[in-house]
Amino acid sequence: MRRAASACLAALACGAAGVSGSAPAAPAACGKPVYLTFDTGHMGVAPLVAEVLQRQQVRVTFFMANERTRTGGGSLDDEWTPWWRARAAEGHAFGTHTWDHTAWVADRADGRFDMRPTMGPQAGKKLVLSAADYCAELRRPADWFKAISGQAVLPLARAPGGRTSPALLKAAEACGFTMVGWSPAGFLGDELPSDRYPNAKLLERALTGIRSGDILAAHLGIWSRQDPWAPAVLEPLIQGLKARGFCFATLREHPVYGKLAR
């Protein structure tokens, strides 16, 4: 389901190459910031993730797609609307992850793209999308979020699996979204197999490797992982990074991406 995982198994590292409205007041200056981000998933751990973030007073950036949930619906359906509204009220930031978790496969000579959604009515099928079609995929979560929360997302997007091409990046930018990946040490490994990458190992590697300015990436539930990363690793990771002098900020405060939202 997650195409990024196979590319990151050996080194536990990978990278990838977004519209803004009124935002909560900026937090106090952060000397050693890290930027924790979450992509949607089956949402099974979403309530527990929210509890940890509230308890630790950490604000993050969520990238939203309408992914299949454990209750048989979608992560952006009516069941989850109150959860997303609550996160918006808490001051988190938001970006788009495409509506159907639609991953890039290849560029076409005529300027269109071979894409493969992992969700929705066309899940698993190879589709041919124009740049305008792809923009519609990016805008749909943003429009949904604006309708349910009254807030606009940041002009930021994350490509499913981190799969992009220069042409795809250009198409996203043409409709107002800049793609955001993650730092090498920021690949937190929650999509990797539990038997080979147990939570204790993932926590140790993250605490050892993360540096100031890194963008960290995790999910709100991964189907394939038997020993869920969240919330088991999440709170110890936050506490461990705080103990090392790090602080947490959203991409609204990022020195590069934050400028796009102003």
Side-chain angles (χ1 to χ4, degrees):
M1 177 176 174
R2 301 283 180 179
R3 297 179 182 274
S6 61
C8 301
L9 285 171
L12 275 181
C14 62
V19 195
S20 173
S22 59
C30 186
K32 290 176 61 178
V34 291
Y35 304 91
L36 179 57
T37 69
F38 284 91
D39 298 348
T40 39
H42 62 54
M43 302 298 283
V45 301
L48 296 173
V49 168
E51 290 176 11
V52 171
L53 298 178
Q54 290 172 344
R55 187 161 50 245
Q56 293 295 326
Q57 288 297 289
V58 164
R59 301 292 175 265
V60 304
T61 304
F62 294 99
F63 287 96
M64 303 174 294
N66 192 37
E67 301 195 50
R68 181 168 59 95
T69 65
R70 284 184 169 177
T71 56
S75 53
L76 306 183
D77 65 12
D78 290 345
E79 178 184 0
W80 287 99
T81 294
W83 190 90
W84 290 106
R85 284 191 181 125
R87 306 293 77 77
E90 290 165 355
H92 297 285
F94 303 85
T96 177
H97 196 36
T98 76
W99 185 261
D100 284 329
H101 201 258
T102 301
W104 174 86
V105 177
D107 294 340
R108 289 194 162 219
D110 62 3
R112 296 183 297 169
F113 306 100
D114 288 339
M115 310 288 291
R116 183 172 283 111
T118 64
M119 303 295 158
Q122 304 296 317
K125 299 179 181 179
K126 188 171 77 171
L127 306 179
V128 179
L129 301 186
S130 67
D133 294 333
Y134 186 62
C135 282
E137 265 289 294
L138 292 174
R139 288 190 178 117
R140 194 172 172 188
D143 292 344
W144 173 86
F145 185 73
K146 176 71 172 180
I148 65 103
S149 72
Q151 295 185 23
V153 304
L154 299 176
L156 304 177
R158 174 164 288 156
R163 297 175 61 88
T164 66
S165 71
L168 192 76
L169 298 180
K170 185 177 179 179
E173 289 174 0
C175 56
F177 295 96
T178 296
M179 289 291 183
V180 178
W182 49 87
S183 304
F187 176 71
L188 297 176
D190 63 339
E191 23 185 333
L192 301 179
S194 303
D195 56 345
R196 296 173 59 191
Y197 299 93
N199 283 334
K201 182 176 183 179
L202 294 179
L203 176 62
E204 179 184 2
R205 292 197 181 197
L207 290 174
T208 300
I210 289 171
R211 298 291 182 265
S212 178
D214 280 354
I215 296 174
L216 319 181
H219 302 81
L220 297 174
I222 293 293
W223 290 95
S224 60
R225 189 168 176 86
Q226 298 303 307
D227 185 15
W229 179 91
V233 177
L234 178 59
E235 194 151 30
L237 175 63
I238 291 172
Q239 292 170 326
L241 290 174
K242 284 181 176 180
R244 288 160 172 76
F246 291 95
C247 44
F248 290 82
T250 74
L251 292 176
R252 193 186 292 117
E253 291 81 51
H254 190 276
V256 175
Y257 298 121
K259 293 178 180 178
L260 301 174
R262 294 173 192 148

